[in-house]
Amino acid sequence: MSGHGTPVAMSSHKSTGLQGQADVPGDKSISHRSLILGALSVGETVVTGLLEGDDVLDTAKAMRAFGAEVTRDENGTWHVHGVGVGGFAEPDQVIDCGNSGTGVRLIMGAMATSPITATFTGDASLNGRPMARVTDPLALFGAQAVGRAGGRLPMTIVGAVDPVPVRYEVPVPSAQVKSAVLLAGLNAPGRTVVIEREATRDHTERMLAGFGAQITTENTDEGRVITLTGQPDLTPQTIVVPRDPSSAAFPVCAALITEGSDVLVPNIGLNATRAGLFTTLREMGADLTYENAREEGGEPVADLRARFSPNLAGIEVPPDRAASMIDEYPVLSVVAAFAKGDTVMRGVKELRVKESDRIDAMATGLRACGVDVDEGEDWWIVKGCGHGNVAGGATCASHLDHRIAMSFLVMGLATRKPVSVDDASPIATSFPVFEALMAALGADIRRV
Ligand code: S3P
């Protein structure tokens, strides 16, 4: 778990010519889901390419606490011997999900329709995040939740003894909420229906279908209507986790802003519900190409090639693209600082309830580095300085948020003066090899 140890301050210094291949780790969203669905099927699920970041390791521990056997062999392949839908045992200890909103929300959903009780906690960041968005729909199945004021962790969920299926329209664009409801629906009889007005990442739906559940998605005037038939026998799978586009974003953006760079980031999952950043960067004039586009394990995949792009221009990011790049706004705001003109980001209220308030965290650090930012509750505008004109020279707070830490470290590669972050330890939640990978490309990032 991150953020509980000694803070690790880092600084990032002007670099030139990032070169080479960036092998980023496995997709975080798909890694969590592989372990949870593996635990809910009977037999052995085999997972290669699993992200071995703290968030996912906390989910692996949690699945053990609910009775699944989860092991890693000497080749780095993971083996999950599941207990089946409805087979979760009651944990005899508090489930600590560390920094991971995805972990805790999906696991709450997965246990909420079994007659067991579990108590969840996390680090200071996770314990400050809203959980009512998940416990409200879980109550419709018959589960009860008791937590701290404002629906915060630590929180105990008493699973429904006789769960009923639900029909639920997700009030915020959130794949975590959608997934929690679908996972709860697995152990309810009959059909559970989830409606989302805006499409969010669809890994849960794809993976449930892969494990043999009956699940359909229809695009209607109401939005995406997802129907799951409860109480299936899930069949264990062999899963090859694609590499994470949200992690690829960091070496890609570093290459775009750093003079003389040419970086290849192979095997990146380009599911349309995740790839909004790359579309946006190309619209800003980034020299970013997709090579060797193909399909792997039911997901579209390509090698990304990013080269230094001195003539980036600010754009208005379409609000209906927000869900497909929700984790990438922090690093986009860094690229926007090096572009000419304004980058306008609207419809992004959800950024305020991530691992940190990401609009506030980035706006504060960008301003300290000499970049003008305007912001409102659900929008912000970064006023680009143009290449070569971003001052830097500040220490930025990471607020226990891996993506804030990595964004500012990317920024310092191209600012006039170095940029520091007060604590880079949260990077271990999603991208444990970040420091070594960036160093191998030629980035001058140092421990302070
Ligand atoms: C995730 C969904 C998103 C995203 C998070 C991962 C998932 O959160 O920010 O990093 O794996 O389902 P929300 O559902 O809160 O938008």
Side-chain angles (χ1 to χ4, degrees):
M1 203 166 22
S2 68
H4 293 183
T6 319
V8 179
M10 285 195 188
S11 62
S12 172
H13 302 253
K14 199 169 185 67
S15 303
T16 49
L18 303 184
Q19 299 282 338
Q21 181 167 313
D23 288 322
V24 304
D27 189 282
K28 183 150 71 75
S29 294
I30 295 176
S31 294
H32 283 294
R33 287 158 173 80
S34 304
L35 295 174
I36 295 169
L37 286 183
L40 290 172
S41 50
V42 178
E44 185 186 357
T45 287
V46 177
V47 189
T48 53
L50 188 90
L51 165 64
E52 294 178 348
D54 291 343
D55 278 10
V56 175
L57 298 178
D58 284 331
T59 288
K61 270 188 227 150
M63 291 302 97
R64 289 187 195 114
F66 282 101
E69 194 186 306
V70 183
T71 53
R72 177 192 194 273
D73 69 24
E74 64 281 3
N75 303 317
T77 300
W78 286 73
H79 303 264
V80 184
H81 289 268
V83 293
V85 169
F88 271 178
E90 185 166 273
D92 58 10
Q93 57 206 281
V94 172
I95 304 297
D96 190 337
C97 289
N99 191 248
S100 182
T102 307
V104 77
R105 290 179 175 136
L106 268 56
I107 296 167
M108 281 179 175
M111 59 73 59
T113 45
S114 291
I116 56 173
T117 295
T119 300
F120 296 88
T121 192
D123 68 6
S125 157
L126 187 58
N127 287 359
R129 297 179 68 185
M131 293 298 144
R133 53 178 55 201
V134 171
T135 55
D136 286 351
L138 297 184
L140 304 175
F141 286 98
Q144 290 170 283
V146 185
R148 288 192 306 131
R152 316 275 155 175
L153 301 179
M155 179 175 274
T156 297
I157 307 281
V158 182
V161 176
D162 288 311
V164 290
V166 310
R167 180 181 177 87
Y168 190 69
E169 184 169 337
V170 184
V172 284
S174 168
Q176 292 175 359
V177 176
K178 168 178 70 178
S179 301
V181 176
L182 289 171
L183 292 172
L186 274 178
N187 199 35
R191 288 180 174 180
T192 285
V193 179
V194 187
I195 302 149
E196 59 175 5
R197 249 175 265 135
E198 292 168 51
T200 63
R201 66 193 68 195
D202 60 358
H203 306 302
T204 303
E205 297 94 298
R206 285 174 185 250
M207 208 179 275
L208 278 168
F211 274 80
Q214 249 187 59
I215 182 165
T216 58
T217 301
E218 236 185 307
N219 290 314
T220 71
D221 292 344
E222 282 180 290
R224 292 176 80 233
V225 180
I226 304 152
T227 306
L228 171 73
T229 303
Q231 300 180 329
D233 287 328
L234 297 182
T235 316
Q237 295 297 300
T238 297
I239 298 171
V240 180
V241 179
R243 292 181 182 172
D244 198 325
S246 299
S247 295
F250 296 102
V252 163
C253 290
L256 298 180
I257 62 171
T258 305
E259 244 170 271
S261 298
D262 184 349
V263 170
L264 187 71
V265 193
N267 291 325
I268 299 305
L270 287 179
N271 180 315
T273 62
R274 297 288 300 281
L277 172 74
F278 305 123
T279 308
T280 301
L281 292 171
R282 279 151 63 124
E283 287 174 5
M284 292 172 79
D287 186 349
L288 173 64
T289 51
Y290 301 160
E291 299 181 355
N292 199 12
R294 59 206 182 270
E295 182 133 328
E296 271 177 21
E299 296 273 353
V301 166
D303 305 334
L304 302 182
R305 183 154 191 189
R307 297 183 181 91
F308 173 53
S309 304
N311 296 314
L312 295 165
I315 63 161
E316 171 126 21
V317 182
D320 64 4
R321 193 180 287 164
S324 70
M325 53 181 288
I326 195 67
D327 290 334
E328 283 67 73
Y329 282 95
V331 76
L332 173 66
S333 72
V334 165
V335 174
F338 293 90
K340 285 203 182 101
D342 294 356
T343 294
V344 181
M345 298 166 277
R346 296 188 195 282
V348 290
K349 197 159 76 196
E350 279 296 299
L351 292 180
R352 297 211 179 265
V353 290
K354 295 294 179 187
E355 286 83 332
S356 67
D357 176 339
R358 286 180 167 164
I359 297 179
D360 185 62
M362 289 308 300
T364 304
L366 286 166
R367 286 180 191 129
C369 289
V371 182
D372 259 6
V373 181
D374 283 346
E375 63 175 295
E377 186 50 27
D378 73 340
W379 60 270
W380 50 323
I381 299 173
V382 175
K383 303 183 179 240
C385 306
H387 179 71
N389 299 326
V390 185
T395 297
C396 305
S398 65
H399 299 280
L400 288 181
D401 188 332
H402 52 134
R403 300 201 198 282
I404 301 300
M406 288 187 279
S407 296
F408 285 122
L409 291 173
V410 164
M411 183 164 169
L413 301 175
T415 47
R416 289 197 190 137
K417 291 190 191 149
V419 174
S420 302
V421 295
D422 63 342
D423 183 13
S425 68
I427 294 173
T429 60
S430 70
F431 201 158
V433 297
F434 176 80
E435 197 182 349
L437 179 148
M438 294 302 290
L441 296 177
D444 184 359
I445 294 175
R446 309 172 193 167
R447 289 189 180 223
V448 179

